[in-house]
Amino acid sequence: MACPSCALPGVQMPSPWRNPQVVTSVTSGLLLLFGFAGGYAGLPLPFQTIIYLIAVVTGGYYFGREAFESLVQEREIGIEMLMATAAIIAGLMGQWAEAAMLVFLYSISEAAEGYTAERARNAIRALMDLAPKTALVLRENQELRIPVEQLRVGDLFIVLPGEAIATDGDVTGGRSNVNQAPVTGESLPVEKVVGAKVFAATINGEGSLTVRATKTFADNTLSRIIHLVEEAQASKGRSQRFIERFGKRYSPSVLAAGVLIAVLPPLFGLPWQEWLLRATVFIVAAAPCALVISIPITLVAAIGTAGRNGILMKGGVHMENLAKVRVIAMDKTGTLTLGRPEVTDIVALNGYSEVLILAGAAALESRSQHPLAQAIL
């Protein structure tokens, strides 16, 4: 599904300052900067250490907790554990500035991933906002305004001019043109008469319709689209699955190698502090955080952005396959064009002015709901 008119222009991007991971990362960076500035200004070392320690705790809270939960609950050693271990060792060696810098840099990547995931969730919420919150139902010869979640199959509900249709159904009364672009990608409104099918979240035109619900709100077309987008974001492409398998094996290997670097040389009389520092540097340098984070964050961002613009991607694997595409066939008007007719030129003949011709055409079309009439008006 893809069309320019399906895009969701009113979608507001979530503020990064409402994301706790972004806030803690920025706070950690500010504390780190304050610690550096304090050092140059002659701030006593104990106060610098306290500032750096707070920066480490603040910036490392989320990925440190994730590392602990992965180790305890899933018996897995991930990149978060590598970063947390390196920061702790650096701090115990008195290198609190380096520990704070390490935590801050890694927390930035974690915050970026979290914020990107939040933007993707925002795309889902935007799709849900296409549907109305209430429906005007006919029950026992009365018109009742109820939440759309309470609609039952077989209920008759009224769709007033300009309203979004609450759920899928069959038209039992009335006549109108319905804008189906948000759901089907149709470029022009589709005329609906008795017996026609209508879809949830499509926009009714100037007429009033009576519709018999054929789907509940949880099972209508819009809900299925939302479910597909959620599945697409959760599904993993080949590259992502490979990277995850790689990370599960690579991270424990790096940690084990770091332990050996820290332990074996001192057994032969070499200074333990020097080799502990080298082990820490090795763990940080060998951690594949950029590689492991890059693919999932890219796929989630791409699928979420596509969803906001009316393009439904059915999974990360299909997004990856786009790299192999050489030819694209567009199936209908509205995919590349807006699908809204416009008056571009007026050709006046026999001495009539353009203004007079346009006024006459507008008078003739004043009571018509046809898209060409609306373009003239």
Side-chain angles (χ1 to χ4, degrees):
M1 180 183 74
C3 69
S5 53
C6 299
L8 307 174
V11 177
Q12 296 293 325
M13 289 297 98
S15 171
W17 305 116
R18 294 185 178 180
N19 186 297
Q21 288 180 296
V22 174
V23 173
T24 55
S25 179
V26 172
T27 302
S28 175
L30 292 175
L31 288 169
L32 179 63
L33 183 62
F34 184 63
F36 282 147
Y40 283 110
L43 188 69
L45 184 60
F47 289 102
Q48 294 181 47
T49 301
I50 292 174
I51 293 173
Y52 290 137
L53 178 59
I54 296 174
V56 168
V57 174
T58 303
Y61 172 75
Y62 284 102
F63 74 81
R65 185 179 66 179
E66 186 178 349
F68 179 77
E69 291 175 352
S70 296
L71 182 63
V72 173
Q73 298 176 5
E74 302 175 12
R75 300 291 191 271
E76 290 183 358
I77 296 176
I79 302 171
E80 295 82 7
M81 180 59 71
L82 296 182
M83 295 295 101
T85 301
I88 291 172
I89 293 175
L92 293 177
M93 294 176 62
Q95 306 292 330
W96 285 106
E98 287 75 6
M101 176 65 76
L102 172 64
V103 166
F104 169 62
L105 292 176
Y106 186 70
S107 69
I108 290 176
S109 64
E110 289 283 294
E113 183 179 17
Y115 178 61
T116 302
E118 185 177 352
R119 289 184 59 178
R121 289 191 295 270
N122 198 63
I124 300 295
R125 289 193 292 268
L127 288 174
M128 295 177 67
D129 288 342
L130 290 174
K133 301 296 185 288
T134 61
L136 187 60
V137 180
L138 288 171
R139 287 182 181 171
E140 299 178 357
N141 296 322
Q142 290 185 332
E143 295 181 0
L144 303 174
R145 182 69 67 173
I146 64 171
V148 291
E149 292 83 4
Q150 296 180 11
L151 275 174
R152 302 189 296 260
V153 174
D155 275 345
L156 287 175
F157 62 94
I158 298 173
V159 186
L160 300 176
E163 282 190 341
I165 296 175
T167 192
D168 298 356
D170 297 325
V171 177
T172 61
R175 185 189 190 100
S176 184
N177 291 320
V178 175
N179 178 9
Q180 299 186 153
V183 174
T184 67
E186 293 289 335
S187 58
L188 297 176
V190 179
E191 186 178 22
K192 299 295 182 180
V193 295
V194 174
K197 294 186 179 297
V198 292
F199 305 106
T202 54
I203 310 300
N204 187 25
E206 296 297 325
S208 178
L209 295 174
T210 302
V211 179
R212 185 179 301 279
T214 57
K215 299 284 186 181
T216 62
F217 180 76
D219 193 39
N220 62 33
T221 301
L222 179 65
S223 297
R224 291 199 300 271
I225 290 175
I226 292 171
H227 181 64
L228 285 173
V229 174
E230 290 174 333
E231 282 188 340
Q233 291 179 341
S235 66
K236 300 173 182 178
R238 290 185 295 272
S239 299
Q240 188 174 354
R241 290 195 298 269
F242 169 76
I243 287 297
E244 288 188 354
R245 291 195 303 269
F246 170 78
K248 287 181 180 180
R249 292 172 174 80
Y250 182 75
S251 295
S253 302
V254 169
L255 188 59
V259 171
L260 292 177
I261 292 173
V263 172
L264 290 181
L267 294 179
F268 295 94
L270 296 175
W272 68 269
Q273 189 169 5
E274 176 185 345
W275 284 95
L276 189 60
L277 179 60
R278 291 186 178 185
T280 304
V281 172
F282 169 78
I283 290 174
V284 174
C289 52
L291 179 63
V292 174
I293 288 176
S294 61
I295 292 178
I297 196 174
T298 302
L299 290 177
V300 169
I303 292 172
T305 301
R308 284 194 303 275
N309 288 279
I311 302 172
L312 178 60
M313 301 298 298
K314 294 186 177 180
V317 63
H318 304 295
M319 185 68 73
E320 290 180 357
N321 287 337
L322 284 178
K324 304 175 183 177
V325 171
R326 295 294 177 266
V327 178
I328 299 178
M330 299 298 176
D331 64 337
K332 59 188 174 184
T333 303
T335 303
L336 295 178
T337 61
L338 294 177
R340 291 195 297 267
E342 295 180 356
V343 176
T344 59
D345 298 286
I346 301 174
V347 180
L349 301 175
N350 300 326
Y352 290 100
S353 68
E354 294 182 356
V355 174
L356 184 61
I357 291 175
L358 183 60
L364 291 172
E365 301 287 6
S366 61
R367 296 184 181 276
S368 174
Q369 298 301 318
H370 193 278
L372 293 179
Q374 295 300 308
I376 294 173
L377 296 173

